[in-house]
Amino acid sequence: MKIYGLMKTTLLDYPGKVASTVFLGGCNFRCEFCHNMDLITDLNNVKEIPFSDVIDHFRLRKGVIDGVCITGGEPTLYPDLIDLITAVKEMGLLVKLDSNGSKTRVLEDLIAKKLLDYIAIDVKASFNKYPSICGLSKCLDSESQITDVLNNVSDTINMLINQDLIDYEFRTTVIREYHDEKEFELIGDMLKGASKYFLQGYVCSEYVPNQDLHGYSKEELQKFVPQLSQKIDYVGIRGMD
Ligand code: SF4
């Protein structure tokens, strides 16, 4: 496992909790709007943080933080992710995992072992847009591999909707060039019956691969909420304050 970032205290990453956030490098997607691309394609220039330093930090912050958010990159790519999560749980801290949902079996296994307290899954777009906006052809060798990834994301979504062992949310970073009313009709169908879905505002930065993307205003995002609320229990807007 390669740990490339540690935010010591955050009120933003774990809903309702004070948390530390760990950033793991590497990802099986290449999203055009990724803010962490340096953690994915430029790993040699990012300083790695030793596992033991991260664990020591959690030990020191125990009593100050409620839990740990593990994000990326894509954390589920690492077989030893379970070691990090187990160490955190043994300290009595909560664990939230952020994922693109492409490794369903890993998520199922962690849930079955009661090692997670909250999962946030990024829903990038409707499935037919995933290959282009997530750059799947840049990191996968064949159409069948792309199909497998899309099937896994779909399985993850359905698995979470149809279980009651763990709290979860779906979320989309909303980009003017990708998402409109028609698109949210399709996403609403993908997430039908889900308990929570957040529309996240998009802001460009110098690190984003595609510099020609734009976000919506909060008022514009609000207009998508009634449409989505017909299929999803709670739809919220995040990151626009
Ligand atoms: S899945 Fe997340 S970490 Fe991976 S490229 Fe896309 S936005 Fe970046």
Side-chain angles (χ1 to χ4, degrees):
M1 176 187 333
K2 300 205 181 285
I3 301 173
Y4 287 102
L6 175 63
M7 191 182 289
K8 293 186 174 173
T9 311
T10 172
L11 297 172
L12 299 176
D13 290 351
Y14 196 143
K17 307 288 180 199
V18 181
S20 291
T21 297
V22 183
F23 295 85
L24 306 187
C27 189
N28 52 348
F29 288 12
R30 294 288 182 276
C31 300
E32 292 187 330
F33 51 91
C34 182
H35 283 278
N36 292 335
M37 205 43 93
D38 56 330
L39 294 184
I40 295 162
T41 57
D42 199 18
L43 288 179
N44 290 338
N45 291 320
V46 186
K47 192 164 176 264
E48 205 175 321
I49 303 172
F51 183 88
S52 57
D53 287 8
V54 174
I55 297 300
D56 286 348
H57 162 76
F58 295 149
R59 234 175 243 125
L60 280 174
R61 303 295 284 186
K62 217 177 118 186
V64 178
I65 56 172
D66 303 308
V68 173
C69 176
I70 302 172
T71 191
E74 177 49 43
T76 60
L77 298 183
Y78 291 104
D80 53 353
L81 171 66
I82 194 165
D83 299 337
L84 172 63
I85 294 176
T86 303
V88 173
K89 292 296 286 180
E90 282 174 359
M91 286 182 225
L93 294 167
L94 301 167
V95 175
K96 169 182 177 253
L97 183 67
D98 293 345
S99 173
N100 61 24
S102 62
K103 297 288 176 188
T104 316
R105 301 292 160 258
V106 174
L107 296 171
E108 282 177 333
D109 185 52
L110 292 170
I111 293 170
K113 291 185 167 125
K114 297 187 170 36
L115 288 172
L116 299 179
D117 300 284
Y118 196 98
I119 297 185
I121 299 292
D122 288 331
V123 174
K124 310 291 184 184
S126 61
F127 287 125
N128 58 354
K129 284 195 178 166
Y130 262 74
S132 60
I133 73 172
C134 299
L136 297 184
S137 52
K138 289 182 200 154
C139 40
L140 297 172
D141 296 331
S142 67
E143 282 301 315
S144 72
Q145 286 184 349
I146 292 175
T147 303
D148 286 348
V149 164
L150 295 183
N151 286 340
N152 282 350
V153 174
S154 175
D155 287 349
T156 295
I157 290 170
N158 292 326
M159 179 268 289
L160 286 172
I161 290 173
N162 293 307
Q163 59 79 45
D164 54 10
L165 294 172
I166 182 171
D167 201 5
Y168 68 91
E169 68 176 51
F170 299 113
R171 60 195 190 181
T172 296
T173 300
V174 187
I175 294 172
R176 194 175 283 276
E177 285 76 9
Y178 306 152
H179 305 104
D180 55 16
E181 211 171 290
K182 209 168 128 197
E183 183 66 5
F184 281 118
E185 197 60 38
L186 297 171
I187 293 174
D189 290 340
M190 287 162 61
L191 303 182
K192 198 167 185 174
S195 55
K196 268 181 288 179
Y197 178 46
F198 290 93
L199 304 178
Q200 302 187 147
Y202 172 76
V203 181
C204 190
S205 78
E206 59 183 299
Y207 306 107
V208 171
N210 184 343
Q211 290 286 309
D212 296 322
L213 301 175
H214 304 87
Y216 285 103
S217 69
K218 189 172 185 179
E219 291 68 33
E220 287 172 318
L221 285 184
Q222 198 67 49
K223 291 187 183 150
F224 298 123
V225 172
Q227 172 191 6
L228 289 158
S229 298
Q230 291 174 13
K231 298 169 185 165
I232 300 164
D233 291 346
Y234 174 80
V235 181
I237 291 173
R238 188 182 270 161
M240 300 295 289
D241 298 321

